[in-house]
Amino acid sequence: MSDVLIAPSILSADFARLGEEVAAVDRAGADWIHLDVMDGHFVPNITFGPPVIKALRASSPKVFDCHLMIAPADPFLEAFAEAGCEYITVHQEAGPHLDRSLQAIRNLGVKAGVSLNPSTPETTLEYVLDRLDLILLMSVNPGFGGQAFIPSVVEKVRRVKAMIGDRDIRIEIDGGVTPQTAPALAEAGADVLVAGSAVFKGGHEDAYRENIAAIRQAAEGALRKAA
Ligand code: DX5
Ligand code: ZN
């Protein structure tokens, strides 16, 4: 298993300086850039859409990991692909035709992800596993940064890992990830850790570097201990 990737969520960045913030977390050691798109309908908050993501592309060459918390998602998939996202993740709960959404994402030449809210069982993914590149397990209810981690996700990671077997599917965790919660997640089999408030606290690049390193060390320390 490769090392755990850290994906800072720019939801916790300074929105007045978004391009600089993306460049700063890139230099500070981010593996991916996590982009939280919210519509005020599927989740009770509104953030940004394709034009903002397109503008941010110039600030970092790292993987743009787009988390769509919008319903419907299908009419907008092409715009997010054109904006430069490498992964597009839709919510299982956001529409009735998950199989179709996943096919549409891959047909755009983009990697396809599904996100599950904390209350949604992983068995709902059983028949789409071969259409998936990423499973994003929410460890908070989507909509806001800085919420408390929901511990039942750790067992869910284990179940998802067993379910995907040897398929090339990444398991990503989103919500309440900190150096305290990262070890159990890594040990259970998470590959990508999203962190918003735990990365952007401090408000400048040196703090971001320390924050990212602290999460990474906590996760990798747990993996070494388990090996
Ligand atoms: C929540 C978003 C998360 C959020 C995580 O709906 O999907 O990506 O930014 O924030 P923290 O890390 O602060 O819990
Ligand atoms: Zn997210």
Side-chain angles (χ1 to χ4, degrees), residues 9 11 34 36 38 67 69 138 142-146 174-176 194-197:
S9 162
L11 184 60
H34 186 80
D36 285 310
M38 304 186 186
H67 178 192
M69 287 161 273
M138 293 305 302
F144 303 95
D174 190 358
V194 175
S197 43

Side-chain angles (χ1 to χ4, degrees), residues 17-67:
R17 303 168 36 250
L18 216 39
E20 290 163 44
E21 292 275 73
V22 168
V25 280
D26 174 328
R27 289 190 300 266
D31 295 301
W32 290 3
I33 307 295
H34 186 80
L35 303 158
D36 285 310
V37 177
M38 304 186 186
D39 66 353
H41 165 72
F42 178 66
V43 289
N45 197 4
I46 299 177
T47 55
F48 48 79
V52 171
I53 294 174
K54 194 172 190 169
L56 291 173
R57 239 348 335 184
S59 299
S60 170
K62 295 206 170 147
V63 165
F64 270 22
D65 170 34
C66 182
H67 178 192

Side-chain angles (χ1 to χ4, degrees), residues 65-119:
D65 170 34
C66 182
H67 178 192
L68 294 183
M69 287 161 273
I70 64 174
D74 290 10
F76 303 101
L77 296 173
E78 191 172 354
F80 284 101
E82 277 171 8
C85 301
E86 274 97 351
Y87 281 80
I88 297 180
T89 294
V90 293
H91 264 263
Q92 186 276 346
E93 307 85 1
H97 302 294
L98 181 60
D99 185 277
R100 178 188 290 154
S101 301
L102 295 174
Q103 288 194 54
I105 295 170
R106 280 196 171 166
N107 285 341
L108 290 163
V110 175
K111 293 204 189 290
V114 176
S115 183
L116 301 182
N117 283 333
S119 65

